[in-house]
Amino acid sequence: MPNSLVVVHIAAGSVALAAGAVALYSLKGAKLHRKSGMLFVFVMLVMSATGAVMAALKPEAISVIAGALTFYLVITALLTVRRPAASARWIDFCAMFVALAIGISGIYFGLEALNSSTGTKDGFPAPPYFIFGSVALLASLLDLRMLLARGIRGPHRLARHLWRMCFALLIAAASFFLGQAQVFPESIPFVLLTIPVLLVLLLMLYWLARVFFTRRYGRA
């Protein structure tokens, strides 16, 4: 595996975690949020693409699925707020089928893991495959709903942007703090490494609640 690809992946992932944290904690729509958000998008696309390529070379199916799902989530989250709500429908059609393919692959590999003699696929148990596959299938259904409604507006549009960006950050945080737990000093209990991941999840729920239940974000 090319060392340069590994370096780019690690560097992009490190910047993504920092930029994502700033974007998540900053006031939504403010200048700091927009600047850190665009940096987050760029480095996340680099990180997820390089991660998927490296995983395909191993091969490691779970990381290919995670990388592809992350790339899809970031792209669709950006498009949700960066163009008119009902424009370029062909892009949304393509994105929906990409998510559908990721979802079917995740469920298929999860079933392979369940039916294997070791209960794993490429060293990973079935639950992560099912989780990523289910999220991708849910996202594809939401894409279909948006297409049938000929666009998405108001708080639902903001929520679509928010949960997709946050879940992409959640994948990145879990991959680093939990997936690479062995690189941290042994003196750090594993339970502490779960805290950043849980914070991303809780903040996602917090901002979704603000979008749906406060007037300011509901009118945006």
Side-chain angles (χ1 to χ4, degrees):
M1 185 179 300
N3 289 331
S4 58
L5 200 62
V6 176
V7 171
V8 170
H9 177 74
I10 294 174
S14 301
V15 176
L17 289 173
V22 173
L24 191 57
Y25 279 93
S26 60
L27 183 65
K28 302 300 172 279
K31 183 177 180 180
L32 178 61
H33 174 75
R34 295 196 303 270
K35 295 292 185 182
S36 59
M38 285 308 301
L39 176 60
F40 174 75
V41 167
F42 175 74
V43 292
M44 280 292 285
L45 293 178
V46 174
M47 185 203 72
S48 57
T50 53
V53 170
M54 290 190 299
L57 294 175
K58 285 185 178 181
E60 189 177 275
I62 189 65
S63 295
V64 174
I65 291 172
L69 177 60
T70 302
F71 194 95
Y72 155 83
L73 289 173
V74 172
I75 284 290
T76 53
L78 178 65
L79 291 176
T80 299
V81 295
R82 284 286 175 170
R83 61 183 175 82
S87 68
R89 287 168 58 82
W90 67 270
I91 297 178
D92 297 321
F93 271 110
C94 293
M96 180 184 68
F97 284 111
V98 168
L100 183 61
I102 296 170
I104 292 174
S105 299
I107 300 300
Y108 176 80
F109 289 134
L111 292 174
E112 270 198 350
L114 278 180
N115 295 324
S116 69
S117 59
T118 61
T120 64
K121 165 73 176 176
D122 297 335
F124 290 87
Y129 291 101
F130 288 137
I131 291 172
F132 289 137
S134 298
V135 170
L137 290 176
L138 173 63
S140 68
L141 288 175
L142 293 174
D143 288 344
L144 177 61
R145 179 185 178 186
M146 181 185 69
L147 287 165
L148 293 175
R150 297 187 176 276
I152 186 170
R153 296 168 183 82
H156 293 282
R157 190 181 185 195
L158 291 179
R160 174 183 168 90
H161 167 77
L162 180 63
W163 86 261
R164 289 168 185 252
M165 285 295 193
C166 286
F167 203 90
L169 178 59
L170 185 66
I171 293 174
S175 298
F176 178 69
F177 290 103
L178 305 183
Q180 302 298 322
Q182 71 277 5
V183 304
F184 291 92
E186 293 183 2
S187 57
I188 299 178
F190 182 79
V191 67
L192 291 182
L193 299 179
T194 66
I195 292 176
V197 181
L198 292 175
L199 280 176
V200 174
L201 179 60
L202 291 174
L203 283 169
M204 177 179 72
L205 296 175
Y206 165 77
W207 283 111
L208 285 173
R210 289 200 63 178
V211 165
F212 282 115
F213 300 114
T214 62
R215 293 183 178 181
R216 176 184 178 186
Y217 289 100
R219 292 195 304 265

